[in-house]
Amino acid sequence: MMATMTSTRRSDEPVDARERRRHGRWSLRLEGDEISEIALDGVVLVETLRPAVRDRDWDTVPPQVLRESWSHRGELLVRELEVAYTGADGAARATTVLEIDPGSVRVRFTLEAEPALVTNRVGLTVMLPRAMAGDDATARTPDGQERRFRFPRTVSPWQPLFDIRSLDLSHRDVRALLQLDGDVFEMEDQRNWTDASYKIYSRPLVLPFPYRVEAGERVVQEVELTATSPAPAATRDFAVGPTTAAAVDLAALLEGAPVVRMPRLGVGATTAASPAGAGQLSALTGLDHLLVEASDRFDVPAVLRAAAAEAAATGLPADLWVIGTERTDLPAVLTAAAAAGLPLRRVSLVDESRHVTTRALARTLAAALASTGLEPVLAARSHFTELNREHAELPADLPLLAFPSTPQMHQQETWHAVEAIGALADVLGSARTLHPDARLLLGPVTLRPRVNAVATRAELVDRDDATGHGAHHVPGSVDPRQGTAWAGAWLAAVVAVAAAQGVEQLTLMEAAGPRGVLGDDGPTPAGEAITLLAGLAGQQLRVLPELTGPGTAAIAHEHGLVLVNARLEPLSATLPEGGGTVTLPPGSLTATG
């Protein structure tokens, strides 16, 4: 069995930089302009509350905190934050005032453009936790109408709620009133993009965007969360500082865990211009496939030749996702793949603007592959969102269904990326509900988005040049954590969720380059995790995808155990068969057998 480990800090160990605050019945965490985990009597009612300034392509303009101050005014605790924004073709200054008293938490946001902004959204956003799925609430509109509302369990393809002025919330026997002022607010199910929340935001999407906030124009909004459940007879004792949780009893949990099959694992072809060398690629063992994306807008023969070199070095067959239109000459692409020596196994054809295989493209795909022996795949290439919104376009009897996943469409903090692993389980469950008989292929799974599906400028979507193609040119596609131990633990936790949800195949990151799992000195921690788990492909396993929350997992196989902790606090577990107790530091994994 595993040797006992202690929680010693590594130089690259991820740290939760959020400040913890408690005031009366309320607790919350703070980092920059984000307020997170707002809890009443220890129950989280708001996952995140933050201002958002988005540019014309829906990218978030990063805030620059200029000044922060705290003060007490009797029972009132006040934080004032001054922030500057440079982006969205302009600049702005803003003040965010947080007030906490015994009965409420209030946030007032005031922004003044200097000069004008060209933006798709400016204002406060409130993210309610995915744990509210199935909860009942009462919504009130700006004109005073009341609506009964239930948070959707399956991922809602469109906004589940419009015209929100207030919401009566009840979660885990704790009740509060959420009030919003300064604009007309609506809600979207952010699990579509693998975010772990229901987001309330303003400026309804039915209005045109981008729009201008003129120089000197002010945007003023306020959000207030008021306790409506009575205070406990005795103040509930809840922790707000770092805690050491009791060790998880793995033997007891694994005994009741379902038996599932480990998916087959592959990697994406390198999108940087220089593919990995044969010597580097030989370090990735046990893989099932290479996933190649080629667009009508690329130099397709060059992309296919580079992928063929990686396929030859690994001996892997290729799945080819072609991004095009109804005018795409798919037989010509298949001929080019054969000329390049790329050994194909599966092929998909995805619309370049709708980002999903439409009904017309499904017919084109079937006709092109009819006599080839290749398997057709109906796919989305951006997020589950497009598949969820357009699933009626897909044949009811589709055999293979594929879509990618990334945790950072909206937010980039490490703790958000960890919570998104839980949202991935919701997404996969919803995909299974939509198409119960389809075999699910997940990927590419990447830390950052490979395509900006909501960009208003086409040149940001599909590009190539001498340095690379596709994802290589997507702004922000490279994550600075790509080569860290945390990235390996995060990827292993994703694989555990996919296995538990019955996914047949996963494609993980890219082979090499800035989004790759191979570095100059061999596999990165993500590459090591892929090799470790690829060796279990096809085996019957017992999988626990959430030991102490999203990002923690145990995978028990015939010869041993893989224990994963992508969270930002240590994980302690008591091992089966008298193996003692193991403590995993944040962002780590360990294995036996």
Side-chain angles (χ1 to χ4, degrees):
M1 266 294 170
M2 270 182 269
T4 301
M5 297 175 57
T6 58
S7 180
T8 55
R9 182 167 295 281
R10 308 181 312 271
S11 60
D12 69 340
E13 185 175 305
V15 175
D16 194 337
R18 293 176 294 169
E19 177 188 359
R20 299 169 184 262
R21 285 274 177 165
R22 177 176 175 176
H23 190 65
R25 299 170 64 187
W26 301 97
S27 66
L28 47 79
R29 304 179 76 166
L30 301 141
E31 182 179 11
D33 67 345
E34 178 184 66
I35 307 167
S36 59
E37 295 183 10
I38 301 176
L40 175 63
D41 300 331
V43 176
V44 174
L45 298 177
V46 172
E47 186 81 2
T48 297
L49 196 164
R50 71 192 309 173
V53 177
R54 310 289 289 274
D55 68 17
R56 65 172 66 239
D57 294 306
W58 291 103
D59 289 323
T60 300
V61 178
Q64 179 188 359
V65 176
L66 304 177
R67 185 183 68 86
E68 179 183 19
S69 64
W70 288 88
S71 62
H72 282 273
R73 302 170 189 170
E75 291 188 313
L76 189 67
L77 177 64
V78 180
R79 182 189 74 158
E80 295 188 17
L81 197 70
E82 292 184 7
V83 177
Y85 299 94
T86 302
D89 299 328
R93 289 289 185 102
T95 302
T96 303
V97 179
L98 165 67
E99 297 181 339
I100 313 172
D101 63 30
S104 65
V105 174
R106 288 180 298 279
V107 175
R108 184 175 179 84
F109 173 69
T110 305
L111 175 141
E112 183 171 336
E114 48 174 45
L117 298 175
V118 179
T119 179
N120 288 351
R121 176 175 299 150
V122 173
L124 291 172
T125 59
V126 184
M127 274 68 90
L128 305 179
R130 62 179 273 266
M132 287 184 173
D135 284 0
D136 290 323
T138 299
R140 292 177 184 83
T141 66
D143 60 4
Q145 296 182 47
E146 286 195 359
R147 301 173 182 169
R148 295 291 296 165
F149 170 72
R150 178 167 292 169
F151 286 89
R153 293 188 183 275
T154 57
V155 180
S156 176
W158 303 103
Q159 293 96 322
L161 196 58
F162 296 91
D163 298 334
I164 309 168
R165 179 50 47 88
S166 68
L167 268 177
D168 280 309
L169 301 172
S170 179
H171 183 55
R172 291 175 49 193
D173 297 325
V174 172
R175 300 190 303 279
L177 175 65
L178 177 68
Q179 296 173 285
L180 308 121
D181 191 37
D183 205 334
V184 178
F185 289 78
E186 58 192 33
M187 178 190 291
E188 67 187 8
D189 191 337
Q190 282 209 135
R191 296 175 300 168
N192 269 300
W193 298 272
T194 327
D195 288 303
S197 65
Y198 304 92
K199 181 170 75 176
I200 299 174
Y201 59 91
S202 68
R203 189 166 170 103
L205 289 176
V206 71
L207 297 178
F209 60 84
Y211 63 97
R212 289 175 63 86
V213 179
E214 299 294 347
E217 185 178 349
R218 302 177 81 203
V219 176
V220 181
Q221 294 185 1
E222 185 171 300
V223 170
E224 183 171 9
L225 187 66
T226 303
T228 55
S229 58
T235 301
R236 188 176 300 181
D237 185 18
F238 57 91
V240 295
T243 60
T244 302
V248 177
D249 186 349
L250 281 181
L253 292 174
L254 287 170
E255 185 176 347
V259 176
V260 299
R261 188 178 297 275
M262 174 61 79
R264 299 189 303 271
L265 306 185
V267 294
T270 303
T271 57
S274 300
Q280 288 177 288
L281 289 165
S282 64
L284 296 176
T285 60
L287 296 182
D288 172 74
H289 65 280
L290 187 73
L291 178 62
V292 184
E293 292 181 334
S295 166
D296 279 350
R297 297 175 183 269
F298 298 164
D299 180 347
V300 172
V303 170
L304 296 177
R305 286 194 298 270
E310 292 190 332
T314 57
L316 294 176
D319 291 354
L320 176 62
W321 280 200
V322 179
I323 315 303
T325 68
E326 293 182 30
R327 299 183 300 276
T328 297
D329 188 346
L330 187 56
V333 176
L334 299 180
T335 299
L342 184 64
L344 296 183
R345 180 181 63 177
R346 294 170 175 166
V347 180
S348 184
L349 181 58
V350 176
D351 186 270
E352 68 174 21
S353 59
R354 293 168 68 177
H355 307 294
V356 70
T357 304
T358 62
R359 191 178 298 274
L361 292 187
R363 289 193 295 267
T364 300
L365 180 64
L369 302 186
S371 59
T372 64
L374 301 175
E375 287 188 290
V377 180
L378 304 185
R381 66 129 169 191
S382 49
H383 305 276
F384 175 69
T385 315
E386 283 67 40
L387 179 69
N388 199 18
R389 290 178 174 176
E390 302 215 33
H391 75 274
E393 274 285 308
L394 303 179
D397 59 347
L398 55 90
L400 289 167
L401 184 64
F403 57 89
S405 179
T406 174
Q408 295 185 71
M409 172 63 181
H410 296 105
Q411 293 159 303
Q412 296 181 351
E413 293 84 358
T414 299
W415 77 272
H416 280 294
V418 173
E419 293 300 321
I421 300 173
L424 177 60
D426 297 349
V427 165
L428 292 171
S430 295
R432 180 67 67 203
T433 298
L434 289 175
H435 299 284
D437 297 324
R439 294 150 57 197
L440 292 182
L441 314 180
L442 180 64
V445 174
T446 54
L447 282 171
R448 293 280 178 90
R450 294 169 54 83
V451 61
N452 186 345
V454 293
T456 60
R457 292 174 289 177
E459 65 269 20
L460 292 183
V461 179
D462 289 317
R463 296 173 52 203
D464 74 338
D465 61 19
T467 66
H469 65 274
H472 190 69
H473 292 288
V474 173
S477 66
V478 180
D479 193 297
R481 296 160 293 195
Q482 179 73 31
T484 66
W486 173 81
W490 179 87
L491 206 62
V494 167
V495 173
V497 167
Q501 292 290 330
V503 170
E504 180 177 305
Q505 170 184 301
L506 277 94
T507 303
L508 304 166
M509 299 181 174
E510 296 182 12
R515 291 157 299 281
V517 298
L518 287 170
D520 294 337
D521 301 323
T524 65
E528 293 172 351
I530 291 171
T531 299
L532 169 67
L533 297 172
L536 303 176
Q539 294 187 26
Q540 298 288 330
L541 313 164
R542 292 190 183 274
V543 176
L544 296 168
E546 288 196 29
L547 285 176
T548 60
T552 59
I555 303 171
H557 54 95
E558 183 179 0
H559 302 293
L561 180 69
V562 179
L563 192 59
V564 181
N565 180 27
R567 295 188 70 81
L568 302 183
E569 56 275 346
L571 168 67
S572 294
T574 301
L575 302 176
E577 302 175 9
T581 298
V582 60
T583 299
L584 268 68
S588 65
L589 63 84
T590 190
T592 69

